[in-house]
Amino acid sequence: TTTLGEGVRVGPYSIISDSTLEGHCVIKSHSVLEGAIVHRHADVGPFARLRPGAILEQDVHVGNFVEVKNSTLGRGTKAGHLSYLGDATLGSEVNVGAGTITANFDGINKHHTEVGDGVFIGSNTVLVAPVKIGKASIIAAGSAISREIPEGTLGVARVQQENKIGFSRHYWAKKSATDPDKFGEKLPLLTSWLTEK
């Protein structure tokens, strides 16, 4: 039950089932689409996966190693690489940074994530559902977001970096003492790295 509109281009080694592809969208190589709707001028892949309920509005870009399940991506939204978007609604012109995921499953139930128009999501962000991100907000890279971010707000949820000087030398020495067969050979090399100026 797959329908391909006028001017659709499908790259090699892609698998498309039970999906609707509107005019002039592009499916790049090695992509898998099942139960998806892809609107005009959207592009998918390479190596992307659209699972049942994935809806890509016009001009959406879903890049390599991005998985979309039961989610709508609004017009012009871009998820370029290495992301999972499940049980979510993303507005228009959203930027999804590399490594972003929606944590939608609590072990019993699936929960929804809502992202407003124009949101910029920094790389390596976790959106812990249920959660709502207000339009035109910015999420700092490396954040784990579990509470609502109001419209036009910067959301930051990460531990402040702390550097423990000399820790590495003590750590590897301890590992070497507990398992000399595994770490003993590495210790002289690691020690030399740590003493170089």
Side-chain angles (χ1 to χ4, degrees):
T1 59
T2 291
T3 303
L4 278 66
E6 180 181 357
V8 168
R9 289 185 290 149
V10 180
Y13 306 107
S14 292
I15 300 171
I16 303 172
S17 61
D18 302 326
S19 297
T20 301
L21 282 61
E22 292 189 351
H24 305 286
C25 63
V26 177
I27 310 302
K28 296 176 184 173
S29 68
H30 298 89
S31 295
V32 178
L33 286 69
E34 179 186 1
I37 299 172
V38 181
H39 289 271
R40 295 176 63 84
H41 300 289
D43 72 279
V44 175
F47 296 98
R49 184 178 182 200
L50 303 184
R51 292 170 56 192
I55 301 172
L56 309 187
E57 300 289 354
Q58 185 171 333
D59 298 317
V60 165
H61 168 65
V62 168
N64 48 292
F65 304 105
V66 174
E67 180 178 350
V68 181
K69 188 269 297 183
N70 192 32
S71 297
T72 299
L73 279 60
R75 183 172 183 164
T77 286
K78 293 175 174 54
H81 17 246
L82 303 167
S83 296
Y84 170 69
L85 303 171
D87 299 298
T89 302
L90 281 67
S92 62
E93 301 296 334
V94 173
N95 179 85
V96 179
T100 294
I101 69 162
T102 55
N104 56 329
F105 185 52
D106 64 7
I108 300 173
N109 298 306
K110 300 287 179 71
H111 298 281
H112 193 77
T113 296
E114 184 178 341
V115 178
D117 297 341
V119 169
F120 183 92
I121 303 172
S123 296
N124 201 34
T125 291
V126 179
L127 302 174
V128 184
V131 69
K132 182 177 180 180
I133 311 301
K135 66 181 181 180
S137 294
I138 297 173
I139 300 176
S143 292
I145 301 297
S146 58
R147 298 198 320 263
E148 179 176 352
I149 297 178
E151 179 179 319
T153 299
L154 170 64
V156 182
R158 59 189 182 200
V159 177
Q160 185 172 353
Q161 180 173 324
E162 181 180 349
N163 295 334
K164 296 181 182 269
I165 305 300
F167 174 86
S168 183
R169 183 182 297 106
H170 299 296
Y171 175 81
W172 290 115
K174 185 176 179 181
K175 287 289 185 185
S176 176
T178 58
D179 194 347
D181 292 336
K182 188 171 184 180
F183 294 97
E185 294 179 4
K186 292 184 180 181
L187 189 62
L189 180 59
L190 291 164
T191 303
S192 69
W193 289 341
L194 292 166
T195 55
E196 285 177 2
K197 294 184 179 181

